[in-house]
Amino acid sequence: PSEMISPELCQLAPESRCSTLSSVPVNLQTPELCYLSISRRGEELQYVAEPKKTKELCYLAVTRNPEALEYVPEFLKTAEICKLAVQEKGMCLKHVPEHMKTPELCRRAVIRSAESIEFVPENLLTEELRTLAVKRSGTTLRFFKEELKTRELCTLAVKQNGMSLEAVPGKLKTPELCSLAIANTKYAFEFVPENLKSKEFCDRIVYSDSTCLSMIPECWISPELVVLALFGTGRVEKNPSEVKNRSLSEDEISKIMNLIPSNLQVYKFFELAISLNGKFVNYVPEHLPFDALCRIAVMKEGSILKIAPQEILTQELCESVIEKFGLALEYVPLKFRKSDLCRKAISNSPLALEFVPKKSLSLCKMAVKANGWALSYVPKQCLTEKLCFDALKADPYVLSKIPPNLMTSEMVEYVLKRVFSAKVSRYGNSWI
C-alpha cells in the first residue's frame, strides 16, 4: 500500500530483481535510490521524474542499457551519449535527435544493425550507405524510395535475402532478378509478377529447387515438369538411362507426388517414374493397376518384394530380383527359397545367408569366404576352425565373432600380423 512506502523501504528495493522506481513516489526518489536502481537496470530511467534526470544519471542508464536513450530528455542528449548508445545498438538511432545524426553516426548504426537505415535522414542516405545496408540485410530495401532503388541495389538485396523481391519496383523485376531471389529462397516466388510465370520460367525454377513445384500454377504442371522435379531432367522420355535421381528425402518426394493433378495420374507417368526409381510404387493411386507397376518396381528396388501382391510372386520373378538384389531374399516366400535361389542370393550379397532357411555347409563356406561377417549367420553345427579361419582371411576384425572354443593361437597371431602390417603400410613406422 502507498501509505506504507517509507524512505527506508525504498532503500531496500534496489536489491530485488523486479522494477523498483515504477512504484516509488516522486518525493521519495532520492539521488542515491535512482543511482542504485539504474546501476542495476538502465531502463529504470523511464520511471525517474524528469526534474531528477541528470546528465550523469542518463549516461549511467545508457551505459547499462543503450535503449535507455529513449528516456533521456532531449536537452540532455549529447553527441557523446548518442554515440555510446548507437555503438552498442544500432536501432537506438531512432532516439537520436535529427540534428545530431551525422554521416559517421549513421554509418556506425547501420554497421551495428542494418535495419537502422530506416531512421537515417534522406539527405544522408548516400549510395554507399544504402549498399552497406542491403549487403547486411536485403529486406532493408523496403525503406528506400522508388527512385533510389537501382538495378544494382536490388540485385544485391535479393542475393542477400530473396524475400526482398517484394520491395523491388515492378519495372526492375526481370526473369533473371526473380531467379536470383528464388535461388536464395523459394518463398520469393510469391512476389514474381504473374506475367513472368511462363512455362520456361517455371521449368527453370523447379530445376533449381524441386520443392518449388508446390508454388507453380496448376496450368503449368505437366508430367514433364513433375519428372523434372523428381529426377532433375525433363528429357527422360528420350533417354531414361541417363537420368540421375535427385537426392530428395521421402518427405520431399511425397509432397511432390501429392501435387500431381488427377488428370496427370496416368499409367504412363507412373510407369516412367517407377522405371527410374522403384520406390515410387508407394505413390500409385488406387485406380491404376498396382500389380503391373509392382512388377516393374521390384526390378528397380528389391525391397519392394515386401509389399508385392502374392499373386505376382512367381519363381521366375523372384529369381530375376535375387540376381540383382541378393538381400531381397528376406522377402521371397519360403516355398521359393530353394538351394539354387539361395546360392544366387549369396553370390550377389554374402550377408543374404541370414535369410537362407536351410543353411548347408557349402552355402556357409561360400558366404564366409566372400564376407567374413557372414559368420554371424552360420549355425553352430556348421562352425569349424577352418570356416572361422576363412572368415578371418576375408576380414580379420571378425575375430570378435569367433566362439572361444574354436579360437586358436594361430588365428590370433594371423590377425595381429594382418592388422600390424596394414597399419605400418598406411601410417609408416611412426605408428609403432
Side-chain angles (χ1 to χ4, degrees):
S2 56
E3 63 272 12
M4 296 183 68
I5 299 177
S6 64
E8 292 75 18
L9 190 62
C10 290
Q11 289 300 320
L12 295 174
E15 298 303 319
S16 68
R17 291 184 176 273
C18 57
S19 176
T20 57
L21 294 178
S22 60
S23 55
V24 175
V26 175
N27 64 309
L28 295 180
Q29 289 184 1
T30 64
E32 294 77 13
L33 180 61
C34 292
Y35 181 87
L36 284 173
S37 296
I38 289 173
S39 64
R40 288 177 60 89
R41 295 177 294 273
E43 62 273 20
E44 286 282 283
L45 184 66
Q46 64 185 299
Y47 304 116
V48 176
E50 290 296 306
K52 295 178 181 290
K53 290 181 180 179
T54 64
K55 181 180 178 181
E56 293 73 20
L57 203 59
C58 291
Y59 190 88
L60 176 64
V62 173
T63 302
R64 294 292 184 269
N65 185 345
E67 293 182 337
L69 183 65
E70 178 181 358
Y71 311 113
V72 176
E74 292 297 304
F75 71 93
L76 290 178
K77 286 182 179 178
T78 62
E80 182 184 8
I81 201 169
C82 290
K83 180 181 177 181
L84 177 64
V86 169
Q87 280 186 155
E88 288 299 313
K89 192 162 186 177
M91 289 300 288
C92 287
L93 186 67
K94 64 182 176 182
H95 304 305
V96 176
E98 291 297 302
H99 69 277
M100 298 187 72
K101 292 179 180 178
T102 64
E104 179 57 28
L105 189 66
C106 292
R107 189 173 186 280
R108 285 176 182 272
V110 172
I111 290 175
R112 201 66 179 170
S113 172
E115 299 291 319
S116 66
I117 194 79
E118 178 183 3
F119 308 107
V120 175
E122 286 187 29
N123 64 307
L124 297 181
L125 273 178
T126 62
E127 183 179 352
E128 179 189 0
L129 198 60
R130 296 197 303 272
T131 301
L132 182 65
V134 298
K135 278 185 175 180
R136 281 169 163 70
S137 175
T139 57
T140 56
L141 187 68
R142 70 187 189 277
F143 297 126
F144 309 142
K145 289 185 175 180
E146 296 295 288
E147 58 268 24
L148 295 179
K149 297 176 182 177
T150 63
R151 188 180 304 278
E152 294 73 21
L153 198 64
C154 291
T155 301
L156 285 174
V158 299
K159 279 184 176 180
Q160 201 283 325
N161 188 325
M163 296 301 283
S164 62
L165 184 65
E166 181 181 12
V168 174
K171 62 181 180 181
L172 295 180
K173 287 185 179 179
T174 62
E176 294 72 28
L177 189 70
C178 292
S179 296
L180 278 177
I182 294 170
N184 179 272
T185 171
K186 64 183 179 182
Y187 299 107
F189 192 83
E190 176 186 352
F191 307 115
V192 176
E194 291 300 318
N195 65 304
L196 290 184
K197 294 178 181 177
S198 63
K199 182 181 183 303
E200 293 72 23
F201 181 79
C202 292
D203 285 356
R204 187 163 66 251
I205 295 308
V206 170
Y207 186 80
S208 64
D209 185 346
S210 60
T211 58
C212 283
L213 188 66
S214 61
M215 302 176 185
I216 301 298
E218 189 169 320
C219 62
W220 294 126
I221 298 181
S222 63
E224 293 75 23
L225 191 60
V226 177
V227 170
L228 186 70
L230 292 172
F231 304 107
T233 175
R235 302 186 296 278
V236 293
E237 292 183 359
K238 295 181 181 179
N239 194 351
S241 63
E242 293 182 0
V243 174
K244 293 183 179 180
N245 296 353
R246 288 179 178 271
S247 297
L248 296 176
S249 67
E250 287 291 338
D251 184 54
E252 288 175 321
I253 293 173
S254 177
K255 286 179 180 178
I256 291 172
M257 295 299 284
N258 289 332
L259 288 170
I260 305 174
S262 56
N263 65 306
L264 297 182
Q265 295 185 24
V266 295
Y267 183 87
K268 184 179 179 182
F269 170 75
F270 281 96
E271 181 183 34
L272 175 60
I274 291 168
S275 69
L276 294 167
N277 188 322
K279 290 182 179 179
F280 290 110
V281 75
N282 295 314
Y283 304 97
V284 174
E286 292 183 0
H287 69 273
L288 294 180
F290 181 76
D291 290 9
L293 291 170
C294 200
R295 285 191 181 91
I296 301 172
V298 295
M299 297 308 299
K300 298 298 294 183
E301 181 65 45
S303 62
I304 299 298
L305 278 177
K306 184 179 181 179
I307 63 169
Q310 292 297 311
E311 300 77 47
I312 73 168
L313 293 179
T314 64
Q315 180 78 39
E316 294 72 28
L317 180 65
C318 290
E319 286 181 359
S320 298
V321 173
I322 292 304
E323 284 179 356
K324 297 180 66 177
F325 310 99
L327 288 174
L329 185 66
E330 177 183 4
Y331 308 114
V332 172
L334 285 173
K335 63 181 179 180
F336 295 141
R337 296 190 206 180
K338 306 300 183 183
S339 180
D340 289 344
L341 186 66
C342 292
R343 191 172 294 276
K344 285 182 180 179
I346 292 172
S347 177
N348 178 277
S349 178
L351 296 181
L353 180 65
E354 178 183 1
F355 310 113
V356 175
K358 295 181 180 180
K359 299 178 175 67
S360 65
L361 183 59
S362 62
L363 287 177
C364 291
K365 286 181 179 179
M366 179 183 177
V368 167
K369 284 183 177 180
N371 188 326
W373 291 99
L375 190 70
S376 302
Y377 308 119
V378 175
K380 288 183 179 181
Q381 64 270 22
C382 292
L383 282 172
T384 64
E385 285 187 17
K386 187 178 184 312
L387 191 65
C388 292
F389 220 123
D390 286 340
L392 289 176
K393 288 178 181 178
D395 191 329
Y397 292 97
V398 179
L399 186 66
S400 62
K401 294 293 181 180
I402 296 177
N405 63 307
L406 293 176
M407 191 179 299
T408 65
S409 57
E410 288 79 8
M411 290 182 187
V412 176
E413 184 179 351
Y414 174 80
V415 171
L416 288 175
K417 285 182 178 179
R418 277 278 303 272
V419 173
F420 181 82
S421 61
K423 294 284 187 181
V424 171
S425 175
R426 182 172 183 180
Y427 301 109
N429 291 332
S430 61
W431 174 79
I432 302 174

